[in-house]
Amino acid sequence: VSKPENLHHRLLELQKLLFDFTQIDRQIFFPDDNRQDRLENDAEHSYSLAMAVWFLSQHFPHLDRDKMIRYALIHDFVEVHAGDMQAIGRTEEQQKLKQKREDEALKKLESEWPDFSELTTSITTYEALNDPEANFVYALDKLMPMLLNLLSEGKTWKKYDFKRSVVIKQKDDKVLVSKEVNELWQAYRQMILDAKGHFNEDTKA
Amino acid sequence: MGKQKSTALMHDLMELYADLLVPFMNVERDVPYIGQPSRSETDGEHTFTLAMLAITINEQLGFGLDDGLISRYALVHDLVEAHAGDVSIRASDAELAKKADTEHEAYLIIQKQFAKKAAWIPTLIHSYEARTDREACFVYAVDKMVVGLARMVGNGARWMEYYPEPDGSLYHRVVALLRQKVEVFPELLELFDVIHDELDRRRVEYLKRDSNQQSKA
């Protein structure tokens, strides 16, 4: 247990780290009437995921709600040092590089924050994907950009000229780890298939 | 779950996102964003930060509170602002007096929309506002404390615009008001004082810096 006069310096450092996390922009547009080019950042994404997890958890009482909220809050935290990388169209080499960067980032967090072991332990447990809660959060994380894209009529899909089939294939593979989220994905999948004008290919034809 | 239920759930999740989370995350607070002081911190950024800091402080100071409940309170603590907007602590007395009514109206909108789909949202907002348990009091008190941390990490950006008086009279009034709010969880007062004593020392430098910049301009 820390004393308040010692803790405040660490809290300042933690506040700085959390601020750094808010500076990691994701490659996805966030709906904002005042800033058309606004990208979602990692903190906003983690917040949304935590709320979505909480929202859905009432339908899956066999899953530990608070554990999933904790996972959602920290699921991308290694990116504070590793940065974000576009998920769709990532090559095998880029995937390896991402993994390497994130492993190093976790080590850095562990060495910088030995007094905040709950954070790094939660990250390690989440990344091991050894419990249904981690798998649920992992799979739902893959669905969140779909929501933003559907709400913005495919703004990001169009910007990067993604193909509908590539987007769907990438999600088909990723969400399989959670049968609960996979069922939900099937509904989104159909919506994406039915959506008109959300991909450049819709207007090129 | 079945196709029908999945489809209904998908629409509910999109409604949550479109009607509550997106507007909420676009609310700008009266706090300069650390890395880019020309813009303000958003409610989404603030909420994530508060959740993480609250969990840490509970762990570090050994309060033994339920950290799941702490996270949930932090996630909803400002959610009414999706409809009510942010009101600065520097606002006029009239604006501050109106705040409670505006936020209650916002709460009723959320309650009406989500009473059936996610009753926990209005329920948790209500418990937080009523501060019926120690976790709610704790999150409320931490929320009042983190602005001081953010101001120091942001190196007191735009200090003169906020607190122009050389004697710090407005600043001290704001701190006194915040401290009064932290009293709901008295165990945090010592930490609050440590943080604000430090900020008070730095305040003079921030003001001097901004004053010099203004003279040069």
Side-chain angles (χ1 to χ4, degrees), chain A residues 5 9 21 37 51 77-78 83 95 102 123 127-128 142-143 145 151 159-160 163 177 180 188:
Chain A
E5 64 267 29
H9 290 293
F21 190 60
D37 58 348
M51 289 297 286
F77 205 68
V78 289
Q95 180 57 35
E102 292 188 354
I123 296 173
E127 292 192 344
K142 310 306 169 202
L143 247 61
L151 288 174
K159 151 112 180 169
Y160 292 103
K163 301 281 175 276
V177 297
E180 294 88 354
Y188 278 103

Side-chain angles (χ1 to χ4, degrees), chain A residues 172-190:
Chain A
D172 274 344
D173 294 342
K174 298 273 186 185
V175 301
L176 282 175
V177 297
S178 165
K179 75 173 170 38
E180 294 88 354
V181 178
N182 191 31
E183 281 188 67
L184 192 61
W185 163 237
Q186 296 313 311
Y188 278 103
R189 192 181 196 279
Q190 192 58 51

Side-chain angles (χ1 to χ4, degrees), chain B:
Chain B
M1 185 162 51
K3 193 177 172 185
Q4 208 175 347
K5 194 178 171 193
S6 300
T7 306
L9 209 50
M10 173 192 74
H11 284 292
D12 287 350
L13 188 56
M14 287 191 73
E15 184 183 333
L16 173 81
Y17 219 106
D19 292 357
L20 197 57
L21 301 186
V22 168
F24 176 67
M25 286 190 277
N26 279 328
V27 172
E28 295 193 346
R29 292 158 43 79
D30 186 27
V31 178
Y33 178 68
I34 293 170
Q36 198 184 328
S38 57
R39 86 153 166 97
S40 298
E41 181 184 43
T42 67
D43 264 348
E45 291 160 345
H46 163 66
T47 300
F48 174 80
T49 304
L50 176 67
M52 296 292 282
L53 284 170
I55 293 167
T56 310
I57 293 170
N58 176 44
E59 184 190 342
Q60 292 290 318
L61 292 180
F63 291 135
L65 302 172
D66 176 342
D67 59 10
L69 190 52
I70 287 175
S71 308
R72 282 180 278 132
Y73 276 137
L75 292 177
V76 301
H77 85 286
D78 269 345
L79 209 46
V80 289
E81 293 185 5
H83 298 296
D86 175 60
V87 178
S88 165
I89 195 153
R90 299 183 298 151
S92 67
D93 290 347
E95 283 172 305
L96 287 171
K98 223 171 70 181
K99 183 176 185 270
D101 289 343
T102 313
E103 292 192 346
H104 185 65
E105 281 167 27
Y107 166 76
L108 292 176
I109 295 171
I110 293 171
Q111 190 187 41
K112 192 175 171 194
Q113 186 170 9
F114 292 100
K116 284 188 183 156
K117 290 169 187 163
W120 51 266
I121 299 178
T123 302
L124 253 282
I125 294 174
H126 184 266
S127 313
Y128 174 73
E129 296 295 343
R131 286 181 271 295
T132 46
D133 49 49
R134 273 175 54 82
E135 282 80 2
C137 293
F138 174 74
V139 172
Y140 181 83
V142 174
D143 182 39
K144 306 306 166 200
M145 201 164 62
V146 296
V147 181
L149 285 174
R151 293 301 261 143
M152 277 194 275
V153 172
N155 201 21
R158 291 163 56 195
W159 191 270
M160 199 164 179
E161 181 190 322
Y162 281 73
Y163 306 111
E165 298 85 355
D167 64 354
S169 51
L170 176 59
Y171 167 76
H172 289 125
R173 271 208 307 280
V174 168
V175 172
L177 191 58
L178 289 171
R179 194 179 192 283
Q180 207 176 5
K181 290 172 187 265
V182 174
E183 282 172 7
V184 298
F185 198 91
E187 297 94 320
L188 279 177
L189 283 171
E190 193 182 344
L191 181 59
F192 179 90
D193 289 341
V194 171
I195 289 169
H196 288 84
D197 286 350
E198 170 90 29
L199 183 56
D200 198 23
R201 277 192 291 276
R202 296 186 189 194
R203 174 185 69 80
V204 181
E205 294 161 32
Y206 300 151
L207 195 58
K208 199 171 159 188
R209 175 202 61 202
D210 287 0
S211 177
N212 286 341
Q213 278 171 359
Q214 213 174 48
S215 312
K216 280 180 195 166

